[in-house]
Amino acid sequence: MDKEDAFRRIQRYLGRNDTHPRIVNANSAADLDAVRQQFAVGDNVFKSVADFSADDEDLSEDRLFSFLSTASGNIFLTGFTSYYRLLGEQKLRDFLNSISGMSLGYAHVVLLCYQCETALSDIDPRYLQYVYQLGGKAEPLPQLVFVSPDMRVQRGKASARGVQNVSEAVEKGKYPEIFVRTNKHKSSYQSSLYSIREQRSAFDALCSLDSATSQLLEKYGTQEEWSAALDQVAKSGSWMKYISEYIGPCTNLELVWPYWTSFEPYKKWVYFIALKLLGAKNSWCLSEAVRFADRSSLLARGVYRSILSLDPDDPLFWERYDERKALIKQIAGSDAEESDYCDFVKSKGNKVLYYLSDSSQTERNLIFETLHDYSEELGRDKITEILKHVYPALYSYLKPYRFNIPLLDSYFREYNYQKVINRIEPEFLNIVNEQAEKREFNLLLPTRCEKLDAIPKKGTVVYFMDAMGVEYLSYIMDECNRRGLRAYVKVCHCELPSLTYLNKDFVDVFKAGGAVFKPDENGIKALDELKHHGKDQWDFRNNELPTYIPEELKIIGDTIEKISTRLSNREFERAVMISDHGASRLSVISKQENKWEMSSKGQHSGRCCPVSEIDEQPPCSTKENGYWVLANYDRFKGGRPANIEVHGGATLEEVTVPIIEIISSPGEIEIQLQTPKIKFSKRKKAEIPKLKIFSKTKLNSLSVEILKLKKRYEGKSSDGQNFTVEIPDFKKEGKYTADVYEDNNLLSKGLEFKLENSDIRENDLL
């Protein structure tokens, strides 16, 4: 029947004394609402399921039928059939039969049904006359989505709080799904005529909103994080669009990593989720890290630990090591993660050095601990090979410096290495003791003052580096080369005892010539103070490992950076780094007090002692400037052991000092190898293989280091541009690589040439 006919029939029913309820069925929400609007007037009373239910509880039928049995007036029941549809078809039919067969006392009851045409066809035929079916096409029923009571529902979505309000939302007919905030579960309504799914969390909601969420696990985030993401992803429409708007291009998420530390916690989490969903296609390390991490707080830990899955023999190890190291430096490290990594990496045993880096003090300390523990097992060649990757500055420090004096070449190669591994080898100690008596430095090295005249003073800035010996020269050369500086070194010996007050003659010489001291003529004391006092973590009494070396290198490196800036700004034409004396670490770790009982106590940690007529000079000492000065690793009795390093004595590391003249590179220096192929002969030993090298710029000297031979060879030239380098040590055909130097300044790296055996060629011709 049409609505008007139904309205007339209902109105007549309400005006008569009739004990049978009327049932009105509408197939559309609009028709159902029209009935409500028509009769929501006067004293007519509308009752819903919620009027007979506790919060989030099912309908109490006892309360409903008790009410109907005693009610009076006009009663309209709304939403009941939509509620019973939740309980199942049989429950719905039972309810309709119960209502249709009721005999009422003083009330007129009208049951408003929604899409119950089929169910109503099965009621007792005697009561079909009381059923008013409105025409119209049935609308699809919504899907119900059960969510937690405290869960936020996306904007624009229909919702009902508690199951008692489900029918009201259903009968509005506007939404394909209704979110029901309830503690009930789908399992409680197994016969439901509605499609029901559960979203007990914002994560479940996101899975429905964007199917990409199913790639994730709920444990990746907190309820608060998923809820916040639900709002944002709903606004954007998808994870992909949201990530692009909030984080950055989805195709290059690795480019966002440098900003990680500046992100607030939620943004870090979204970036973590983005990596889980989309990966970092161009970053092996981030891909490994996000695979490891199951929450955003572990992403940095994943970056740290990523390298542990690789063996050092893997051909990609160093490439991936470098990538990881760069990512760690970009986030400036975390004390907690560094400590965690260093604790964990020790499981690698004698391979642990491969997995460390210079990125933090914690790792640097562990490098020195590892070198001390495994130096004998690894061997020097392997250690230097590894350090080239993991700690370039320490590798530079250990590189042999070419003094062109065999004693110094071998001595400081050994001294630096033993200082780093924190051990004195017996063979080296024999050399020290031998030199304690020979003191060949007096013959091999000039005094400092002999070399000062040759250095221009005008336009010169002087950095007086207190206690900087020649052990740092390889590091200094590399630092200068890295900044485009050229350094020319003169090696001298200082006055004894190796103390500052006896070795400042150069100050007046430079001042008289017009040179400027920076910061002043008292010099840079940081290195000397570190060696004398250090800090708690570097005090030999607390820590016998040489973990202070990085600080030494930093002090020198920072000074070279200042020099580079001043020369670049053309404040000065040149800079000079000059030292008063060196210092000895090995004398400290020897812990050796000699047997000589002197009338005066040892001074400067026992490295020297005032001369007295009643004293006998020890054979391991020299008499200079009123002192007995020890030239071995002993200390006089009465001298307090040094904390870190010591000076005042006459070992080579204490007395050998550098004068380093530094200038800006005079432009690009082009080096050309003119002999890409050279020949050698075992039969014709007089025919020495020769490399011919051309320099566009005139050079004072040129030398070539053959990497396979681990030796350097001097070139000869009559014009400073065309050089011939004889290399008598070739014994095997093959490809070779050469580095070209001028006075330890690297000019060209990796020149390749081929060596051929002329004997074989001659035999072929025969």
Side-chain angles (χ1 to χ4, degrees):
M1 65 182 67
D2 60 26
K3 284 183 289 191
E4 287 71 20
D5 187 15
F7 291 167
R8 286 193 295 271
R9 294 190 180 204
I10 294 171
Q11 195 62 53
R12 285 199 300 270
Y13 164 67
L14 297 177
R16 295 204 306 259
N17 186 15
D18 192 328
T19 60
H20 287 286
R22 297 301 189 267
I23 299 175
V24 180
N25 181 64
N27 285 331
S28 71
D31 286 347
L32 192 61
D33 189 58
V35 177
R36 290 193 187 99
Q37 295 296 327
Q38 179 69 25
F39 293 100
V41 295
D43 293 332
N44 294 342
V45 176
F46 280 73
K47 289 289 187 180
S48 69
V49 174
D51 293 320
F52 305 99
S53 307
D55 286 346
D56 199 26
E57 294 295 338
D58 291 326
L59 169 71
S60 171
E61 290 185 344
D62 289 343
R63 287 175 60 188
L64 170 63
F65 287 110
S66 175
F67 167 76
L68 293 177
S69 66
T70 59
S72 61
N74 300 331
I75 308 297
F76 287 79
L77 299 178
T78 65
F80 285 85
T81 58
S82 292
Y83 166 76
Y84 273 101
R85 188 174 279 111
L86 179 63
L87 302 182
E89 186 171 358
Q90 189 58 50
K91 289 284 188 180
L92 174 61
R93 292 179 185 275
D94 291 346
F95 173 71
L96 290 173
N97 281 320
S98 297
I99 292 294
S100 63
M102 283 188 72
S103 179
L104 301 169
Y106 303 99
H108 294 94
V109 174
V110 179
L111 174 66
L112 300 185
C113 302
Y114 185 54
Q115 296 191 16
C116 291
E117 190 171 352
T118 301
L120 286 168
S121 65
D122 289 341
I123 65 172
D124 192 322
R126 292 176 296 169
Y127 306 127
L128 287 175
Q129 61 181 314
Y130 304 126
V131 177
Y132 306 151
Q133 296 274 11
L134 302 183
K137 184 177 179 181
E139 298 169 338
L141 290 172
Q143 181 183 60
L144 303 183
V145 184
F146 283 8
V147 300
S148 300
D150 58 349
M151 181 175 157
R152 287 184 290 180
V153 175
Q154 304 163 43
R155 291 185 180 89
K157 298 288 186 180
S159 65
R161 185 169 290 281
V163 291
Q164 78 278 9
N165 291 315
V166 167
S167 57
E168 181 182 352
V170 168
E171 293 182 0
K172 289 181 180 178
K174 295 180 180 179
Y175 303 99
E177 61 182 4
I178 296 169
F179 289 82
V180 184
R181 290 187 173 102
T182 178
N183 285 313
K184 302 288 187 184
H185 293 278
K186 178 181 177 179
S187 58
S188 302
Y189 304 98
Q190 295 184 8
S191 300
S192 172
L193 298 177
Y194 299 109
S195 169
I196 300 175
R197 60 187 173 88
E198 285 189 307
Q199 288 182 359
R200 305 318 299 181
S201 64
F203 175 78
D204 292 336
L206 278 163
C207 287
S208 300
L209 178 63
D210 187 337
S211 60
T213 314
S214 61
Q215 301 174 47
L216 306 170
L217 299 177
E218 190 168 2
K219 67 179 182 179
Y220 292 164
T222 64
Q223 182 64 32
E224 291 74 18
E225 287 166 339
W226 291 121
S227 295
L230 178 60
D231 285 344
Q232 300 305 318
V233 174
K235 284 181 188 176
S236 298
S238 69
W239 273 111
M240 186 78 74
K241 192 171 181 184
Y242 175 50
I243 290 167
S244 296
E245 294 167 350
Y246 187 48
I247 299 295
C250 293
T251 54
N252 298 104
L253 286 172
E254 63 275 2
L255 300 180
V256 180
W257 176 254
Y259 306 102
W260 168 264
T261 54
S262 66
F263 288 170
E264 46 87 22
Y266 174 70
K267 193 166 187 176
K268 284 184 177 180
W269 178 77
V270 174
Y271 179 60
F272 163 72
I273 292 298
L275 289 171
K276 282 287 188 185
L277 285 171
L278 304 167
K281 299 177 179 62
N282 300 313
S283 174
W284 165 85
C285 182
L286 278 178
S287 298
E288 282 293 299
V290 79
R291 185 180 63 81
F292 162 84
D294 60 7
R295 56 184 185 274
S296 60
S297 61
L298 291 179
L299 186 58
R301 180 167 297 180
V303 170
Y304 270 89
R305 292 191 182 184
S306 60
I307 195 66
L308 297 176
S309 63
L310 294 180
D311 188 270
D313 293 329
D314 190 309
L316 294 175
F317 181 83
W318 289 120
E319 176 186 325
R320 290 178 169 175
Y321 173 95
D322 290 341
E323 180 190 335
R324 169 195 174 271
K325 187 173 180 179
L327 293 186
I328 288 174
K329 285 189 174 181
Q330 285 170 347
I331 61 171
S334 156
D335 290 344
E337 294 306 332
E338 288 163 5
S339 179
D340 169 84
Y341 179 75
C342 287
D343 288 341
F344 199 81
V345 77
K346 291 178 182 178
S347 64
K348 293 294 183 178
N350 62 1
K351 292 186 177 181
V352 67
L353 188 60
Y354 287 95
Y355 299 92
L356 298 174
S357 77
D358 59 354
S359 300
S360 69
Q361 182 176 317
T362 307
E363 284 195 67
R364 291 192 295 268
N365 289 350
L366 187 52
I367 285 175
F368 287 101
E369 181 181 330
T370 303
L371 291 173
H372 177 70
D373 292 342
Y374 293 106
S375 59
E376 291 185 271
E377 192 170 342
L378 290 172
R380 182 184 306 193
D381 289 345
K382 182 62 70 176
I383 285 173
T384 52
E385 176 190 325
I386 298 170
L387 288 177
K388 188 173 185 178
H389 294 277
V390 307
Y391 197 169
L394 191 59
Y395 168 78
S396 291
Y397 174 77
L398 289 175
K399 278 171 60 177
Y401 181 82
R402 193 162 180 257
F403 294 91
N404 279 330
I405 301 174
L407 171 63
L408 298 187
D409 288 342
S410 61
Y411 185 94
F412 283 101
R413 180 175 183 269
E414 295 300 323
Y415 173 81
N416 285 24
Y417 182 68
Q418 291 175 48
K419 174 176 172 178
V420 166
I421 66 171
N422 203 44
R423 183 180 294 112
I424 304 174
E425 300 294 348
E427 297 82 359
F428 182 73
L429 189 57
N430 289 337
I431 295 172
V432 172
N433 291 331
E434 180 181 285
Q435 285 301 310
E437 297 190 16
K438 288 184 176 180
R439 292 187 287 281
E440 290 181 290
F441 65 83
N442 286 304
L443 300 173
L444 297 172
L445 297 173
T447 62
R448 189 190 299 104
C449 63
E450 291 178 58
K451 294 296 181 180
L452 294 179
D453 288 344
I455 300 175
K457 311 302 185 297
K458 293 288 186 182
T460 297
V461 59
V462 181
Y463 288 83
F464 166 21
M465 306 294 293
D466 196 339
M468 186 184 76
V470 295
E471 66 186 88
Y472 308 100
L473 283 176
S474 287
Y475 172 72
I476 290 169
M477 297 304 296
D478 279 359
E479 288 294 292
C480 287
N481 180 65
R482 191 165 62 84
R483 293 172 173 83
L485 303 173
R486 303 280 291 281
Y488 299 95
V489 180
K490 297 175 177 63
V491 178
C492 315
H493 73 78
C494 73
E495 299 298 322
L496 296 179
S498 50
L499 304 172
T500 300
Y501 83 93
L502 290 170
N503 287 282
K504 293 183 66 176
D505 52 323
F506 58 85
V507 173
D508 291 337
V509 174
F510 276 108
K511 284 174 62 179
V516 176
F517 280 82
K518 294 291 182 179
D520 55 43
E521 64 186 62
N522 292 316
I524 295 172
K525 298 291 186 182
L527 203 60
D528 187 61
E529 290 176 0
L530 172 65
K531 292 175 185 293
H532 280 300
H533 310 296
K535 298 177 182 177
D536 289 342
Q537 70 267 30
W538 295 325
D539 194 315
F540 191 73
R541 293 166 296 183
N542 304 322
N543 172 22
E544 294 195 4
L545 295 174
T547 53
Y548 65 94
I549 291 178
E551 186 67 15
E552 289 187 321
L553 301 182
K554 182 179 184 301
I555 291 167
I556 294 170
D558 288 348
T559 302
I560 295 173
E561 181 61 31
K562 292 173 184 175
I563 289 172
S564 178
T565 300
R566 286 202 154 97
L567 294 181
S568 176
N569 293 338
R570 298 185 177 178
E571 294 178 46
F572 299 94
E573 295 177 22
R574 72 191 58 76
V576 171
M577 295 178 76
I578 192 167
S579 178
D580 49 355
H581 54 76
S584 178
R585 168 65 172 183
L586 301 192
S587 177
V588 174
I589 69 174
S590 72
K591 305 178 184 178
Q592 185 65 42
E593 188 174 65
N594 66 26
K595 64 181 181 178
W596 304 99
E597 190 74 47
M598 312 301 286
S599 60
S600 299
K601 288 185 178 181
Q603 297 182 6
H604 302 283
S605 298
R607 295 298 292 152
C608 56
C609 177
V611 171
S612 170
E613 291 182 2
I614 62 172
D615 293 329
E616 178 186 353
Q617 178 180 353
C620 55
S621 70
T622 181
K623 180 181 178 183
E624 297 283 346
N625 293 310
Y627 284 87
W628 300 129
V629 182
L630 290 175
N632 62 1
Y633 285 157
D634 291 352
R635 69 173 188 273
F636 284 119
K637 292 181 178 180
R640 181 182 59 83
N643 288 351
I644 296 178
E645 292 193 8
V646 68
H647 63 87
T651 59
L652 284 175
E653 60 265 33
E654 291 172 284
V655 302
T656 312
V657 290
I659 304 173
I660 309 166
E661 185 180 353
I662 302 173
I663 61 171
S664 294
S665 182
E668 183 181 2
I669 297 177
E670 289 187 45
I671 299 295
Q672 185 181 77
L673 180 63
Q674 295 181 300
T675 50
K677 288 184 181 180
I678 61 173
K679 298 181 184 295
F680 78 105
S681 171
K682 292 183 179 179
R683 293 189 304 174
K684 302 175 183 178
K685 295 185 179 180
E687 295 182 9
I688 299 175
K690 299 178 180 65
L691 283 178
K692 292 186 177 180
I693 295 173
F694 173 79
S695 171
K696 188 180 76 172
T697 305
K698 281 195 173 186
L699 303 174
N700 294 323
S701 66
L702 180 143
S703 61
V704 171
E705 184 171 343
I706 308 299
L707 302 186
K708 281 186 180 179
L709 302 179
K710 297 182 180 179
K711 289 183 71 174
R712 201 181 295 184
Y713 303 86
E714 289 292 336
K716 295 179 180 179
S717 175
S718 59
D719 59 7
Q721 290 183 281
N722 292 282
F723 290 85
T724 299
V725 185
E726 293 186 349
I727 306 174
D729 300 312
F730 281 136
K731 295 187 176 14
K732 187 177 180 181
E733 281 192 322
K735 291 183 179 179
Y736 288 81
T737 303
D739 293 344
V740 181
Y741 292 84
E742 181 200 27
D743 290 346
N744 286 300
N745 290 286
L746 180 62
L747 303 182
S748 184
K749 189 174 181 64
L751 296 181
E752 293 185 351
F753 63 94
K754 188 175 182 181
L755 181 66
E756 294 180 347
N757 189 339
S758 61
D759 298 339
I760 296 174
R761 304 298 182 275
E762 288 179 12
N763 288 335
D764 289 343
L765 291 174
L766 295 173

